[in-house]
Amino acid sequence: MKQFVIHAAVLVAAMFVGGCQRSEAPVLFHPQGQPQTLGEWHVLSSDGKQLKLNHGVEPYALNSALFSDYAHKLRTIWMPEGRKAKYSANDAFDFPVGTIISKTFYYPRGQDGAVLRVAEQKDESANGLDLSKVRLIETRLLVRRETGWVALPYVWNEEQTEATLARAGDVVPLTMHKPDGSAKTSFAYMVPDENQCAGCHSTNNTTRELHPIGPKARHLNRDDPWHDGQNQLARMVSLGRLEGLPATGVPHNARFDDASASIESRARAYLDVNCGHCHSQVGPADTSGLWLDAGTDEARRLGLCKPPVAAGQGTGDHLFDIVPGKPDESILIYRMSSLDPGAMMPEVGRATVHEEGVAVVRDWIAAWLGNCTSDGAHVAMR
């Protein structure tokens, strides 16, 4: 089979005051191989001063996002011209061959080389990133080829001009603190290797095929942060990028940090995006019996008075995944709060504890009523 490439658009010339300037080269889809630099894809470009999105590369945001050591993320999708993703109510959308999904991890800059622990701002990645204000760490690509999805991690250089393929992963030492100088911590940010990328994105333990995690209806069903008054999914339809979107009944996850939403919806949304791709009926942790995806409603499967499948270090000597009203006695909180490699959950992707996320799940468990008997039965309060 002959190799082929897909271009976002032909090169054009644009006239400016004072002269003529050539546009950015179009997005280049590589149907095979592992390009050694991010620049070879032409999805994002950097001159060391600004990270820019190429023509046709659209940013997107999630309702609640996967925690990654407080890193901010610029997420983008590019699809070949004239091709559309197919809507699914529950699973990741079916994207056409040639799709390139990118996720760039970065931090706002602090003082003396440190990075800041602050909430993501809705407008900071509308047209790219001002590199005088942020430090780029890595960009991960998820690429849809004829044979399926492949994951490629790229690590940015100190000049922030290019990112290089890091098949074996990488370690980036960081010091992070809040804007007022508090909560200062030094940690090793871990860039996952190819196998770890595949481990998270192999959301079906039978097929072991890679799939996107974030681009699902319930995560994308929200206002577009960069286009006032537009829903992200409706915008995808208007741009000719999505087909099959129903007029009503589109699922929606809460923002875990939205104080106006119920504590249950916030905690379930957090667990869904952080844990549900693994802890589901078909995921890699299916044998654990603990299913934390959005489609699970059975309290026992969510962990209520459920003993662990395997005892030991990961339990912290606790008896049940969730003890109603007692988060400190629940294995779920213990593992979310741990930094012990033998106990922490998720197992990869973090070297710090997400205090705000743990607090939401803690409050959710604290609101549960009843007691667990010694044999794992739940006794409701009367």
Side-chain angles (χ1 to χ4, degrees):
M1 178 181 295
K2 293 183 179 180
Q3 292 192 1
F4 63 94
V5 295
I6 299 176
H7 293 278
V10 297
L11 291 173
V12 296
M15 298 301 297
F16 294 91
V17 175
C20 180
Q21 177 177 323
R22 185 172 176 140
S23 69
E24 176 69 25
V27 173
L28 183 62
F29 169 68
H30 296 265
Q32 298 176 8
Q34 296 180 319
Q36 293 303 297
T37 62
L38 181 65
E40 294 175 62
W41 296 89
H42 301 300
V43 171
L44 306 169
S45 63
S46 171
D47 59 2
K49 298 179 180 179
Q50 185 177 18
L51 182 70
K52 297 180 180 179
L53 283 60
N54 206 346
H55 175 72
V57 177
E58 286 284 325
Y60 70 95
L62 308 180
N63 282 311
S64 288
L66 179 72
F67 173 72
S68 305
D69 288 330
Y70 292 99
H72 295 205
K73 298 164 190 175
L74 168 58
R75 303 172 179 85
T76 73
I77 295 177
W78 179 84
M79 284 182 275
E81 187 175 356
R83 304 296 302 277
K84 299 180 181 181
K86 297 179 181 178
Y87 173 86
S88 171
N90 300 312
D91 299 325
F93 295 163
D94 183 7
F95 289 93
V97 171
T99 299
I100 304 172
I101 298 175
S102 81
K103 184 161 62 171
T104 297
F105 296 70
Y106 66 95
Y107 290 91
R109 290 184 181 272
Q111 296 182 347
D112 301 323
V115 297
L116 294 181
R117 174 181 155 181
V118 295
E120 292 188 55
Q121 304 299 313
K122 72 172 186 176
D123 60 348
E124 62 188 3
S125 57
N127 296 305
L129 298 172
D130 181 348
L131 299 184
S132 68
K133 298 180 179 179
V134 305
R135 175 178 175 180
L136 302 177
I137 305 296
E138 60 164 323
T139 294
R140 303 176 194 173
L141 296 187
L142 201 59
V143 181
R144 178 67 169 89
R145 289 173 167 167
E146 289 281 1
T147 54
W149 291 94
V150 294
L152 300 169
Y154 292 86
V155 177
W156 285 91
N157 59 19
E158 292 186 5
E159 297 78 18
Q160 302 198 115
T161 54
E162 183 60 277
T164 303
L165 183 65
R167 297 182 59 187
D170 201 357
V171 178
V172 182
L174 292 175
T175 298
M176 178 173 60
H177 58 74
K178 290 184 177 181
D180 63 2
S182 65
K184 186 174 182 178
T185 181
S186 295
F187 65 99
Y189 178 100
M190 304 297 293
V191 177
D193 60 35
E194 287 183 319
N195 290 333
Q196 290 171 321
C197 289
C200 281
H201 285 277
S202 298
T203 55
N204 187 302
N205 204 32
T206 300
T207 66
R208 303 301 296 169
E209 295 176 348
L210 274 64
H211 290 283
I213 295 173
K216 299 176 182 177
R218 61 184 179 272
H219 301 317
L220 296 175
N221 186 10
R222 54 165 291 170
D223 290 339
D224 189 308
W226 308 286
H227 301 90
D228 290 342
Q230 296 188 45
N231 175 276
Q232 280 193 142
L233 295 178
R235 177 173 167 78
M236 287 183 70
V237 172
S238 69
L239 292 174
R241 294 169 172 265
L242 179 65
E243 62 183 4
L245 178 68
T248 60
V250 180
H252 168 265
N253 269 11
R255 286 182 60 100
F256 90 92
D257 57 354
D258 180 5
S260 67
S262 71
I263 190 62
E264 179 180 8
S265 65
R266 294 166 61 193
R268 289 299 309 275
Y270 183 86
L271 292 171
D272 178 36
V273 76
N274 280 276
C275 315
H277 52 280
C278 187
H279 282 272
S280 74
Q281 188 173 359
V282 299
D286 56 351
T287 57
S288 71
L290 180 67
W291 301 343
L292 300 173
D293 59 304
T296 298
D297 294 321
E298 184 184 346
R300 182 76 167 189
R301 291 295 187 186
L302 291 172
L304 179 62
C305 297
K306 190 190 81 61
V309 171
Q313 180 179 358
T315 69
D317 295 325
H318 301 313
L319 298 177
F320 306 110
D321 290 332
I322 291 179
V323 180
K326 299 178 179 179
D328 289 329
E329 296 182 17
S330 302
I331 296 173
L332 186 59
I333 292 297
Y334 171 74
R335 302 195 77 170
M336 290 176 64
S337 303
S338 177
L339 291 178
D340 184 335
M344 63 187 290
M345 280 289 173
E347 295 175 315
V348 298
R350 72 174 179 91
T352 60
V353 176
H354 190 195
E355 297 175 8
E356 296 81 1
V358 172
V360 168
V361 177
R362 176 186 293 276
D363 289 347
W364 175 56
I365 294 176
W368 285 42
L369 301 176
N371 296 287
C372 298
T373 64
S374 59
D375 59 356
H378 175 239
V379 180
M381 294 187 67
R382 297 180 179 179

